[in-house]
Amino acid sequence: MAVRRVMMSTDAVGGVWTFALELAEGLGRHGIEVLLAVLGPAPDGGRLRAATRIPGLQIAHRDYPLEWMREANDENQDAAGRWLLDLAHGFGPDVIHLNHFCHGALEWPAPCVVVAHSCVATWYEYVRRTPPGPEWDDYRRRVATGLAGATLVVAPTQSMLDDLQRIYGGLGKTSVVYNGRRPEAFPAARKQPFALCAARAWDEAKNVAALDAAAPHVRWPIRVAGDVRHPEGGNARFEHVELLGALGESRMANQFAHAAIYVLPARYEPFGLSVLEAAFAGCALVLGNIPSLRELWHDTAYYVPPDDPEAIAHAINTLASDRRALHARGARARRHASRYTSERMLARWRYTYRQLAKQEQKPCTS
């Protein structure tokens, strides 16, 4: 069955937005109409301009709390679900693609795929080394219901999918679809003596605090690009890294192009688009030693214990003192990154949609 229309949920807080636009643009080139349903805070000017540059992309937005936010509850999540259902009935999609969990079990007029970019329960296990407390019970219930009700559950790594199965159980059909980016958007240039990190600096999972602790012992400056303000309020503070703030794609690509080393000592990172962008630009990679990043980058990266500033500093200094090894690591990362192009991602998603569209559709209810 040909797929002509896809309704996709997203948010504008993190990498899900980048993923959604990358996929929507590719789908549009193949004549597939996309309606992007944006939940949570409205996209800022730069994100909105990026979306409006995609021919034919339709965008709808409602500021319902994202399912992981403190103010999320059954009432506002049910209201968000009704809004999404109204959009679906008006748009007439062949496939519903949810980049969040809790609405996977609604009576959609088309097969529904839920994509697990990250979740609070897995975040807690990797970052806090403990399950989330009882204050997250309603969230976990909504997530479990959404996962169990979806036609298909997709994760960007096998590691993430295994974690979901272990924590929530009850998953039906599942698949892994690796994320992708356009290599030509992240060209390499003459490398300069600095290390770069691109991350939501407020997110403990990205572990910028460990970079800040390592920075006084590193030969080269460490630059950090990304938001320091948490979407629920408050700013992350650091003393030793150079904060660049949130950068647009072209300015970010320029940083990747000139950075000799990309460092992300992540405690939790189900995929990591910034690592891929850095690899396309030929940066040597220093990454947190966690299962998902090992799965994706194999022997191309220098792995460090995420919470060991001394090990992080040693890894950066080792590469900085050996230009030959630095160049070899960057070249290896760039070759490996060819596995994760947007064209490969698009081909896999188009196949997934076609398979979904063959499924028996749920009855349409108002």
Side-chain angles (χ1 to χ4, degrees):
M1 176 178 175
V3 173
R4 298 300 181 193
R5 289 187 167 191
V6 173
M7 184 177 115
M8 187 186 309
S9 74
T10 189
D11 65 70
V13 172
V16 176
W17 179 259
T18 303
F19 163 84
L21 293 195
E22 190 86 31
L23 182 55
E25 183 178 26
L27 293 172
R29 292 198 304 270
H30 287 270
I32 299 173
E33 296 180 56
V34 177
L35 170 60
L36 206 58
V38 186
L39 298 162
D44 62 22
R47 288 182 174 89
L48 194 56
R49 285 191 295 273
T52 57
R53 285 195 292 267
I54 298 175
L57 178 63
Q58 300 179 47
I59 302 175
H61 170 251
R62 286 287 176 88
D63 191 11
Y64 292 109
L66 299 176
E67 59 194 1
W68 53 265
M69 290 182 166
R70 283 192 296 265
E71 63 267 36
N73 55 43
D74 286 348
E75 182 179 358
N76 53 47
Q77 295 307 293
D78 287 349
R82 290 192 293 272
W83 175 67
L84 290 167
L85 281 173
D86 286 344
L87 287 177
H89 287 296
F91 184 61
D94 300 301
V95 170
I96 305 293
H97 177 140
L98 299 181
N99 288 308
H100 70 288
F101 298 108
C102 73
H103 295 115
L106 295 181
E107 292 294 337
W108 295 106
C112 170
V113 53
V114 166
V115 186
H117 295 278
S118 66
C119 89
V120 169
T122 54
W123 186 97
Y124 261 82
E125 288 203 352
Y126 282 92
V127 177
R128 300 280 177 82
R129 307 296 183 189
T130 183
E135 68 274 18
W136 291 102
D137 284 352
D138 286 343
Y139 166 87
R140 294 185 62 164
R141 171 180 51 79
R142 288 192 291 267
V143 170
T145 299
L147 288 170
T151 312
L152 175 70
V153 174
V154 168
T157 52
Q158 186 64 48
S159 172
M160 181 62 182
L161 192 58
D162 291 345
D163 286 338
L164 287 179
Q165 187 71 263
R166 174 175 53 80
I167 291 173
Y168 295 102
L171 304 186
K173 292 185 177 180
T174 62
S175 182
V176 173
V177 180
Y178 292 128
N179 292 339
R181 293 288 272 148
R182 292 176 295 115
E184 62 272 18
F186 303 96
R190 185 177 181 85
K191 295 301 185 182
Q192 298 176 8
F194 69 91
L196 176 68
C197 177
R200 299 184 301 272
W202 51 265
D203 186 349
E204 295 173 55
K206 309 304 181 185
N207 208 17
V208 175
L211 275 186
D212 197 53
H217 311 289
V218 173
R219 294 176 51 187
W220 288 354
I222 299 176
R223 300 178 182 176
V224 176
D227 291 326
V228 296
R229 181 170 178 77
H230 196 287
E232 294 184 287
N235 291 337
R237 299 184 181 277
F238 307 99
E239 296 180 8
H240 305 294
V241 295
E242 179 185 346
L243 295 174
L244 304 180
L247 304 180
E249 185 168 304
S250 61
R251 293 176 64 198
M252 195 66 246
N254 186 61
Q255 290 291 326
F256 285 129
H258 292 97
I261 297 170
Y262 183 75
V263 55
L264 185 69
R267 296 164 170 158
Y268 172 72
E269 184 57 87
F271 188 89
L273 289 175
S274 68
V275 182
L276 176 56
E277 293 162 357
F280 281 139
C283 301
L285 304 178
V286 176
L287 305 177
N289 189 11
I290 57 176
S292 57
L293 293 178
R294 282 276 189 181
E295 175 186 340
L296 292 166
W297 296 101
H298 302 277
D299 63 349
T300 63
Y302 197 134
Y303 295 98
V304 295
D307 293 312
D308 189 340
E310 183 177 340
I312 296 167
H314 175 74
I316 298 172
N317 287 335
T318 298
L319 290 171
S321 62
D322 187 342
R323 292 304 180 95
R324 187 173 182 177
L326 182 69
H327 176 77
R329 287 276 185 174
R332 190 187 305 174
R334 194 174 188 183
R335 288 193 300 270
H336 190 83
S338 65
R339 302 181 182 199
Y340 310 121
T341 64
S342 58
E343 284 303 315
R344 287 192 173 197
M345 176 183 73
L346 176 63
R348 181 64 179 171
W349 272 113
R350 291 181 66 208
Y351 171 81
T352 299
Y353 290 158
R354 288 195 298 270
Q355 295 302 111
L356 274 173
K358 293 177 183 178
Q359 303 292 318
E360 181 179 355
Q361 296 183 0
K362 293 181 179 181
C364 176
T365 60
S366 56

